[in-house]
Amino acid sequence: MKSFQFILLFAFLAIGTPKAFAQKPVLTDEDAVTETVTKEIDAVFHSEEFLKKKNKKFADVKGTMIVDIGVVQNGKVSSFFKVDSDIKNIDFINFMSNYILDHKFQFKLQKQQRYKIRYNATFE
């Protein structure tokens, strides 16, 4: 009976928790980092959660922004810098900055590595 319980427990742990042991991929190529950041930020800006928040406070804001996003080793956003924008609403720009600074990417970088990615955002 004990061996059956052990096997059952082992099976549960092996099958039930693979995501707990899954690690984020480590990206080493600048092009791969740029592509992944662009895809993730695109997904964020098209997510229901983001659109709901944007439309609640800034429904009338439309236009484009060019921003630099700094990413550090653990996938955190280290900086958000507006390079150019035809959007002049300072409150929206601050909202965007805070929203992106709170984002954590689904990858890691090599130790002591950081990248700055230029991203073009369009809001319609």
Side-chain angles (χ1 to χ4, degrees):
M1 186 69 171
K2 292 271 186 192
S3 64
F4 177 72
Q5 289 174 336
F6 176 75
I7 292 172
L8 190 60
L9 177 64
F10 179 76
F12 173 75
L13 290 174
I15 295 170
T17 59
K19 288 188 178 183
F21 297 111
Q23 293 193 354
K24 295 179 182 179
V26 177
L27 300 182
T28 57
D29 180 58
E30 186 173 358
D31 291 335
V33 173
T34 300
E35 181 180 332
T36 304
V37 166
T38 301
K39 283 181 183 178
E40 280 195 43
I41 295 298
D42 282 346
V44 166
F45 288 159
H46 292 95
S47 72
E48 188 175 324
E49 177 188 351
F50 173 79
L51 292 173
K52 190 174 184 180
K53 287 182 180 181
K54 180 210 175 273
N55 291 334
K56 184 175 182 178
K57 292 184 179 183
F58 306 104
D60 59 330
V61 173
K62 296 182 184 345
T64 59
M65 288 177 65
I66 300 171
V67 297
D68 285 341
I69 300 170
V71 183
V72 294
Q73 178 184 346
N74 57 2
K76 287 186 177 179
V77 177
S78 61
S79 63
F80 177 93
F81 178 75
K82 178 190 71 139
V83 177
D84 192 21
S85 177
D86 59 5
I87 299 170
K88 303 302 179 200
N89 185 326
I90 299 298
D91 291 333
F92 178 73
I93 294 168
N94 288 335
F95 164 74
M96 288 295 306
S97 175
N98 292 332
Y99 203 88
I100 296 304
L101 287 168
D102 287 341
H103 184 73
K104 188 166 183 178
F105 290 102
Q106 299 302 310
F107 63 85
K108 292 182 178 182
L109 301 174
Q110 288 181 328
K111 203 168 198 147
Q112 303 299 320
Q113 195 71 42
R114 42 184 330 136
Y115 287 101
K116 180 174 74 172
I117 290 83
R118 182 144 299 170
Y119 180 82
N120 296 317
T122 301
F123 302 99
E124 300 173 350

mmCIF file with all atom_site columns, all heavy atoms in Angstrom, residues 97-113:
data_model
loop_
_atom_site.group_PDB
_atom_site.id
_atom_site.type_symbol
_atom_site.label_atom_id
_atom_site.label_alt_id
_atom_site.label_comp_id
_atom_site.label_asym_id
_atom_site.label_entity_id
_atom_site.label_seq_id
_atom_site.pdbx_PDB_ins_code
_atom_site.Cartn_x
_atom_site.Cartn_y
_atom_site.Cartn_z
_atom_site.occupancy
_atom_site.B_iso_or_equiv
_atom_site.pdbx_formal_charge
_atom_site.auth_seq_id
_atom_site.auth_comp_id
_atom_site.auth_asym_id
_atom_site.auth_atom_id
_atom_site.pdbx_PDB_model_num
ATOM 1   N N   . SER A 1 97  ? 4.266  54.770 -19.837 1.00 0.00 ? 97  SER A N   1
ATOM 2   C CA  . SER A 1 97  ? 5.547  54.523 -19.183 1.00 0.00 ? 97  SER A CA  1
ATOM 3   C C   . SER A 1 97  ? 5.382  53.600 -17.988 1.00 0.00 ? 97  SER A C   1
ATOM 4   O O   . SER A 1 97  ? 6.089  52.593 -17.861 1.00 0.00 ? 97  SER A O   1
ATOM 5   C CB  . SER A 1 97  ? 6.158  55.854 -18.741 1.00 0.00 ? 97  SER A CB  1
ATOM 6   O OG  . SER A 1 97  ? 7.333  55.628 -18.003 1.00 0.00 ? 97  SER A OG  1
ATOM 7   N N   . ASN A 1 98  ? 4.438  53.908 -17.118 1.00 0.00 ? 98  ASN A N   1
ATOM 8   C CA  . ASN A 1 98  ? 4.207  53.077 -15.930 1.00 0.00 ? 98  ASN A CA  1
ATOM 9   C C   . ASN A 1 98  ? 3.752  51.673 -16.304 1.00 0.00 ? 98  ASN A C   1
ATOM 10  O O   . ASN A 1 98  ? 4.176  50.691 -15.682 1.00 0.00 ? 98  ASN A O   1
ATOM 11  C CB  . ASN A 1 98  ? 3.187  53.734 -14.998 1.00 0.00 ? 98  ASN A CB  1
ATOM 12  C CG  . ASN A 1 98  ? 3.733  54.987 -14.364 1.00 0.00 ? 98  ASN A CG  1
ATOM 13  O OD1 . ASN A 1 98  ? 4.945  55.128 -14.163 1.00 0.00 ? 98  ASN A OD1 1
ATOM 14  N ND2 . ASN A 1 98  ? 2.854  55.915 -14.057 1.00 0.00 ? 98  ASN A ND2 1
ATOM 15  N N   . TYR A 1 99  ? 2.906  51.566 -17.309 1.00 0.00 ? 99  TYR A N   1
ATOM 16  C CA  . TYR A 1 99  ? 2.388  50.259 -17.723 1.00 0.00 ? 99  TYR A CA  1
ATOM 17  C C   . TYR A 1 99  ? 3.521  49.365 -18.221 1.00 0.00 ? 99  TYR A C   1
ATOM 18  O O   . TYR A 1 99  ? 3.607  48.192 -17.870 1.00 0.00 ? 99  TYR A O   1
ATOM 19  C CB  . TYR A 1 99  ? 1.327  50.435 -18.808 1.00 0.00 ? 99  TYR A CB  1
ATOM 20  C CG  . TYR A 1 99  ? 0.379  49.277 -18.906 1.00 0.00 ? 99  TYR A CG  1
ATOM 21  C CD1 . TYR A 1 99  ? -0.766 49.230 -18.128 1.00 0.00 ? 99  TYR A CD1 1
ATOM 22  C CD2 . TYR A 1 99  ? 0.628  48.217 -19.764 1.00 0.00 ? 99  TYR A CD2 1
ATOM 23  C CE1 . TYR A 1 99  ? -1.649 48.163 -18.193 1.00 0.00 ? 99  TYR A CE1 1
ATOM 24  C CE2 . TYR A 1 99  ? -0.243 47.142 -19.843 1.00 0.00 ? 99  TYR A CE2 1
ATOM 25  C CZ  . TYR A 1 99  ? -1.380 47.124 -19.054 1.00 0.00 ? 99  TYR A CZ  1
ATOM 26  O OH  . TYR A 1 99  ? -2.246 46.058 -19.127 1.00 0.00 ? 99  TYR A OH  1
ATOM 27  N N   . ILE A 1 100 ? 4.403  49.938 -19.035 1.00 0.00 ? 100 ILE A N   1
ATOM 28  C CA  . ILE A 1 100 ? 5.510  49.150 -19.583 1.00 0.00 ? 100 ILE A CA  1
ATOM 29  C C   . ILE A 1 100 ? 6.566  48.873 -18.511 1.00 0.00 ? 100 ILE A C   1
ATOM 30  O O   . ILE A 1 100 ? 7.123  47.772 -18.457 1.00 0.00 ? 100 ILE A O   1
ATOM 31  C CB  . ILE A 1 100 ? 6.134  49.858 -20.810 1.00 0.00 ? 100 ILE A CB  1
ATOM 32  C CG1 . ILE A 1 100 ? 5.108  49.941 -21.941 1.00 0.00 ? 100 ILE A CG1 1
ATOM 33  C CG2 . ILE A 1 100 ? 7.391  49.145 -21.277 1.00 0.00 ? 100 ILE A CG2 1
ATOM 34  C CD1 . ILE A 1 100 ? 4.530  48.606 -22.374 1.00 0.00 ? 100 ILE A CD1 1
ATOM 35  N N   . LEU A 1 101 ? 6.841  49.832 -17.650 1.00 0.00 ? 101 LEU A N   1
ATOM 36  C CA  . LEU A 1 101 ? 7.834  49.610 -16.591 1.00 0.00 ? 101 LEU A CA  1
ATOM 37  C C   . LEU A 1 101 ? 7.411  48.494 -15.632 1.00 0.00 ? 101 LEU A C   1
ATOM 38  O O   . LEU A 1 101 ? 8.261  47.851 -15.014 1.00 0.00 ? 101 LEU A O   1
ATOM 39  C CB  . LEU A 1 101 ? 8.112  50.899 -15.826 1.00 0.00 ? 101 LEU A CB  1
ATOM 40  C CG  . LEU A 1 101 ? 8.939  51.934 -16.587 1.00 0.00 ? 101 LEU A CG  1
ATOM 41  C CD1 . LEU A 1 101 ? 8.917  53.270 -15.864 1.00 0.00 ? 101 LEU A CD1 1
ATOM 42  C CD2 . LEU A 1 101 ? 10.381 51.447 -16.769 1.00 0.00 ? 101 LEU A CD2 1
ATOM 43  N N   . ASP A 1 102 ? 6.115  48.242 -15.520 1.00 0.00 ? 102 ASP A N   1
ATOM 44  C CA  . ASP A 1 102 ? 5.613  47.165 -14.666 1.00 0.00 ? 102 ASP A CA  1
ATOM 45  C C   . ASP A 1 102 ? 5.653  45.795 -15.351 1.00 0.00 ? 102 ASP A C   1
ATOM 46  O O   . ASP A 1 102 ? 5.432  44.773 -14.704 1.00 0.00 ? 102 ASP A O   1
ATOM 47  C CB  . ASP A 1 102 ? 4.181  47.446 -14.218 1.00 0.00 ? 102 ASP A CB  1
ATOM 48  C CG  . ASP A 1 102 ? 4.110  48.550 -13.182 1.00 0.00 ? 102 ASP A CG  1
ATOM 49  O OD1 . ASP A 1 102 ? 5.134  48.845 -12.548 1.00 0.00 ? 102 ASP A OD1 1
ATOM 50  O OD2 . ASP A 1 102 ? 3.015  49.127 -13.015 1.00 0.00 ? 102 ASP A OD2 1
ATOM 51  N N   . HIS A 1 103 ? 5.939  45.772 -16.638 1.00 0.00 ? 103 HIS A N   1
ATOM 52  C CA  . HIS A 1 103 ? 5.930  44.519 -17.398 1.00 0.00 ? 103 HIS A CA  1
ATOM 53  C C   . HIS A 1 103 ? 7.214  43.723 -17.146 1.00 0.00 ? 103 HIS A C   1
ATOM 54  O O   . HIS A 1 103 ? 8.296  44.292 -17.002 1.00 0.00 ? 103 HIS A O   1
ATOM 55  C CB  . HIS A 1 103 ? 5.795  44.807 -18.897 1.00 0.00 ? 103 HIS A CB  1
ATOM 56  C CG  . HIS A 1 103 ? 5.681  43.578 -19.728 1.00 0.00 ? 103 HIS A CG  1
ATOM 57  N ND1 . HIS A 1 103 ? 4.552  42.810 -19.757 1.00 0.00 ? 103 HIS A ND1 1
ATOM 58  C CD2 . HIS A 1 103 ? 6.579  42.968 -20.545 1.00 0.00 ? 103 HIS A CD2 1
ATOM 59  C CE1 . HIS A 1 103 ? 4.740  41.784 -20.574 1.00 0.00 ? 103 HIS A CE1 1
ATOM 60  N NE2 . HIS A 1 103 ? 5.960  41.858 -21.055 1.00 0.00 ? 103 HIS A NE2 1
ATOM 61  N N   . LYS A 1 104 ? 7.079  42.406 -17.094 1.00 0.00 ? 104 LYS A N   1
ATOM 62  C CA  . LYS A 1 104 ? 8.234  41.521 -16.999 1.00 0.00 ? 104 LYS A CA  1
ATOM 63  C C   . LYS A 1 104 ? 8.157  40.536 -18.160 1.00 0.00 ? 104 LYS A C   1
ATOM 64  O O   . LYS A 1 104 ? 7.155  39.862 -18.341 1.00 0.00 ? 104 LYS A O   1
ATOM 65  C CB  . LYS A 1 104 ? 8.252  40.790 -15.663 1.00 0.00 ? 104 LYS A CB  1
ATOM 66  C CG  . LYS A 1 104 ? 9.527  40.027 -15.454 1.00 0.00 ? 104 LYS A CG  1
ATOM 67  C CD  . LYS A 1 104 ? 9.694  39.599 -14.020 1.00 0.00 ? 104 LYS A CD  1
ATOM 68  C CE  . LYS A 1 104 ? 11.028 38.894 -13.875 1.00 0.00 ? 104 LYS A CE  1
ATOM 69  N NZ  . LYS A 1 104 ? 11.278 38.486 -12.514 1.00 0.00 ? 104 LYS A NZ  1
ATOM 70  N N   . PHE A 1 105 ? 9.214  40.509 -18.954 1.00 0.00 ? 105 PHE A N   1
ATOM 71  C CA  . PHE A 1 105 ? 9.237  39.664 -20.145 1.00 0.00 ? 105 PHE A CA  1
ATOM 72  C C   . PHE A 1 105 ? 9.381  38.194 -19.787 1.00 0.00 ? 105 PHE A C   1
ATOM 73  O O   . PHE A 1 105 ? 9.862  37.847 -18.713 1.00 0.00 ? 105 PHE A O   1
ATOM 74  C CB  . PHE A 1 105 ? 10.363 40.106 -21.083 1.00 0.00 ? 105 PHE A CB  1
ATOM 75  C CG  . PHE A 1 105 ? 10.091 41.434 -21.716 1.00 0.00 ? 105 PHE A CG  1
ATOM 76  C CD1 . PHE A 1 105 ? 10.715 42.577 -21.247 1.00 0.00 ? 105 PHE A CD1 1
ATOM 77  C CD2 . PHE A 1 105 ? 9.202  41.551 -22.764 1.00 0.00 ? 105 PHE A CD2 1
ATOM 78  C CE1 . PHE A 1 105 ? 10.445 43.808 -21.812 1.00 0.00 ? 105 PHE A CE1 1
ATOM 79  C CE2 . PHE A 1 105 ? 8.933  42.777 -23.340 1.00 0.00 ? 105 PHE A CE2 1
ATOM 80  C CZ  . PHE A 1 105 ? 9.556  43.908 -22.872 1.00 0.00 ? 105 PHE A CZ  1
ATOM 81  N N   . GLN A 1 106 ? 8.984  37.340 -20.723 1.00 0.00 ? 106 GLN A N   1
ATOM 82  C CA  . GLN A 1 106 ? 9.006  35.894 -20.523 1.00 0.00 ? 106 GLN A CA  1
ATOM 83  C C   . GLN A 1 106 ? 10.324 35.277 -20.980 1.00 0.00 ? 106 GLN A C   1
ATOM 84  O O   . GLN A 1 106 ? 10.351 34.182 -21.525 1.00 0.00 ? 106 GLN A O   1
ATOM 85  C CB  . GLN A 1 106 ? 7.827  35.256 -21.266 1.00 0.00 ? 106 GLN A CB  1
ATOM 86  C CG  . GLN A 1 106 ? 6.483  35.733 -20.781 1.00 0.00 ? 106 GLN A CG  1
ATOM 87  C CD  . GLN A 1 106 ? 6.277  35.472 -19.300 1.00 0.00 ? 106 GLN A CD  1
ATOM 88  O OE1 . GLN A 1 106 ? 6.493  34.374 -18.822 1.00 0.00 ? 106 GLN A OE1 1
ATOM 89  N NE2 . GLN A 1 106 ? 5.887  36.494 -18.572 1.00 0.00 ? 106 GLN A NE2 1
ATOM 90  N N   . PHE A 1 107 ? 11.419 35.995 -20.769 1.00 0.00 ? 107 PHE A N   1
ATOM 91  C CA  . PHE A 1 107 ? 12.750 35.483 -21.088 1.00 0.00 ? 107 PHE A CA  1
ATOM 92  C C   . PHE A 1 107 ? 13.744 36.128 -20.148 1.00 0.00 ? 107 PHE A C   1
ATOM 93  O O   . PHE A 1 107 ? 13.428 37.072 -19.431 1.00 0.00 ? 107 PHE A O   1
ATOM 94  C CB  . PHE A 1 107 ? 13.127 35.764 -22.548 1.00 0.00 ? 107 PHE A CB  1
ATOM 95  C CG  . PHE A 1 107 ? 13.224 37.227 -22.885 1.00 0.00 ? 107 PHE A CG  1
ATOM 96  C CD1 . PHE A 1 107 ? 14.382 37.945 -22.661 1.00 0.00 ? 107 PHE A CD1 1
ATOM 97  C CD2 . PHE A 1 107 ? 12.143 37.892 -23.436 1.00 0.00 ? 107 PHE A CD2 1
ATOM 98  C CE1 . PHE A 1 107 ? 14.469 39.295 -22.967 1.00 0.00 ? 107 PHE A CE1 1
ATOM 99  C CE2 . PHE A 1 107 ? 12.214 39.242 -23.754 1.00 0.00 ? 107 PHE A CE2 1
ATOM 100 C CZ  . PHE A 1 107 ? 13.378 39.938 -23.510 1.00 0.00 ? 107 PHE A CZ  1
ATOM 101 N N   . LYS A 1 108 ? 14.952 35.610 -20.167 1.00 0.00 ? 108 LYS A N   1
ATOM 102 C CA  . LYS A 1 108 ? 16.055 36.189 -19.405 1.00 0.00 ? 108 LYS A CA  1
ATOM 103 C C   . LYS A 1 108 ? 17.183 36.504 -20.366 1.00 0.00 ? 108 LYS A C   1
ATOM 104 O O   . LYS A 1 108 ? 17.217 36.008 -21.495 1.00 0.00 ? 108 LYS A O   1
ATOM 105 C CB  . LYS A 1 108 ? 16.565 35.197 -18.350 1.00 0.00 ? 108 LYS A CB  1
ATOM 106 C CG  . LYS A 1 108 ? 15.598 34.919 -17.231 1.00 0.00 ? 108 LYS A CG  1
ATOM 107 C CD  . LYS A 1 108 ? 16.229 33.971 -16.231 1.00 0.00 ? 108 LYS A CD  1
ATOM 108 C CE  . LYS A 1 108 ? 15.283 33.714 -15.070 1.00 0.00 ? 108 LYS A CE  1
ATOM 109 N NZ  . LYS A 1 108 ? 15.899 32.842 -14.059 1.00 0.00 ? 108 LYS A NZ  1
ATOM 110 N N   . LEU A 1 109 ? 18.097 37.333 -19.908 1.00 0.00 ? 109 LEU A N   1
ATOM 111 C CA  . LEU A 1 109 ? 19.303 37.640 -20.667 1.00 0.00 ? 109 LEU A CA  1
ATOM 112 C C   . LEU A 1 109 ? 20.499 37.048 -19.929 1.00 0.00 ? 109 LEU A C   1
ATOM 113 O O   . LEU A 1 109 ? 20.403 36.697 -18.752 1.00 0.00 ? 109 LEU A O   1
ATOM 114 C CB  . LEU A 1 109 ? 19.478 39.154 -20.804 1.00 0.00 ? 109 LEU A CB  1
ATOM 115 C CG  . LEU A 1 109 ? 18.338 39.908 -21.493 1.00 0.00 ? 109 LEU A CG  1
ATOM 116 C CD1 . LEU A 1 109 ? 18.586 41.406 -21.431 1.00 0.00 ? 109 LEU A CD1 1
ATOM 117 C CD2 . LEU A 1 109 ? 18.188 39.450 -22.928 1.00 0.00 ? 109 LEU A CD2 1
ATOM 118 N N   . GLN A 1 110 ? 21.622 36.990 -20.624 1.00 0.00 ? 110 GLN A N   1
ATOM 119 C CA  . GLN A 1 110 ? 22.839 36.525 -19.967 1.00 0.00 ? 110 GLN A CA  1
ATOM 120 C C   . GLN A 1 110 ? 23.226 37.500 -18.862 1.00 0.00 ? 110 GLN A C   1
ATOM 121 O O   . GLN A 1 110 ? 22.832 38.670 -18.878 1.00 0.00 ? 110 GLN A O   1
ATOM 122 C CB  . GLN A 1 110 ? 23.990 36.431 -20.970 1.00 0.00 ? 110 GLN A CB  1
ATOM 123 C CG  . GLN A 1 110 ? 23.844 35.290 -21.943 1.00 0.00 ? 110 GLN A CG  1
ATOM 124 C CD  . GLN A 1 110 ? 25.012 35.221 -22.907 1.00 0.00 ? 110 GLN A CD  1
ATOM 125 O OE1 . GLN A 1 110 ? 25.594 36.239 -23.270 1.00 0.00 ? 110 GLN A OE1 1
ATOM 126 N NE2 . GLN A 1 110 ? 25.357 34.021 -23.312 1.00 0.00 ? 110 GLN A NE2 1
ATOM 127 N N   . LYS A 1 111 ? 24.008 37.018 -17.928 1.00 0.00 ? 111 LYS A N   1
ATOM 128 C CA  . LYS A 1 111 ? 24.429 37.824 -16.794 1.00 0.00 ? 111 LYS A CA  1
ATOM 129 C C   . LYS A 1 111 ? 25.064 39.141 -17.261 1.00 0.00 ? 111 LYS A C   1
ATOM 130 O O   . LYS A 1 111 ? 25.846 39.163 -18.212 1.00 0.00 ? 111 LYS A O   1
ATOM 131 C CB  . LYS A 1 111 ? 25.439 37.027 -15.965 1.00 0.00 ? 111 LYS A CB  1
ATOM 132 C CG  . LYS A 1 111 ? 25.533 37.469 -14.550 1.00 0.00 ? 111 LYS A CG  1
ATOM 133 C CD  . LYS A 1 111 ? 26.314 36.481 -13.730 1.00 0.00 ? 111 LYS A CD  1
ATOM 134 C CE  . LYS A 1 111 ? 25.989 36.758 -12.297 1.00 0.00 ? 111 LYS A CE  1
ATOM 135 N NZ  . LYS A 1 111 ? 25.992 35.596 -11.468 1.00 0.00 ? 111 LYS A NZ  1
ATOM 136 N N   . GLN A 1 112 ? 24.707 40.220 -16.590 1.00 0.00 ? 112 GLN A N   1
ATOM 137 C CA  . GLN A 1 112 ? 25.214 41.569 -16.867 1.00 0.00 ? 112 GLN A CA  1
ATOM 138 C C   . GLN A 1 112 ? 24.839 42.087 -18.256 1.00 0.00 ? 112 GLN A C   1
ATOM 139 O O   . GLN A 1 112 ? 25.379 43.081 -18.710 1.00 0.00 ? 112 GLN A O   1
ATOM 140 C CB  . GLN A 1 112 ? 26.739 41.634 -16.698 1.00 0.00 ? 112 GLN A CB  1
ATOM 141 C CG  . GLN A 1 112 ? 27.231 41.219 -15.333 1.00 0.00 ? 112 GLN A CG  1
ATOM 142 C CD  . GLN A 1 112 ? 26.686 42.108 -14.224 1.00 0.00 ? 112 GLN A CD  1
ATOM 143 O OE1 . GLN A 1 112 ? 26.599 43.317 -14.376 1.00 0.00 ? 112 GLN A OE1 1
ATOM 144 N NE2 . GLN A 1 112 ? 26.298 41.504 -13.119 1.00 0.00 ? 112 GLN A NE2 1
ATOM 145 N N   . GLN A 1 113 ? 23.908 41.438 -18.941 1.00 0.00 ? 113 GLN A N   1
ATOM 146 C CA  . GLN A 1 113 ? 23.499 41.857 -20.280 1.00 0.00 ? 113 GLN A CA  1
ATOM 147 C C   . GLN A 1 113 ? 22.292 42.776 -20.185 1.00 0.00 ? 113 GLN A C   1
ATOM 148 O O   . GLN A 1 113 ? 21.427 42.585 -19.340 1.00 0.00 ? 113 GLN A O   1
ATOM 149 C CB  . GLN A 1 113 ? 23.141 40.622 -21.104 1.00 0.00 ? 113 GLN A CB  1
ATOM 150 C CG  . GLN A 1 113 ? 23.058 40.879 -22.582 1.00 0.00 ? 113 GLN A CG  1
ATOM 151 C CD  . GLN A 1 113 ? 24.420 41.118 -23.198 1.00 0.00 ? 113 GLN A CD  1
ATOM 152 O OE1 . GLN A 1 113 ? 25.371 40.441 -22.876 1.00 0.00 ? 113 GLN A OE1 1
ATOM 153 N NE2 . GLN A 1 113 ? 24.510 42.090 -24.062 1.00 0.00 ? 113 GLN A NE2 1
#
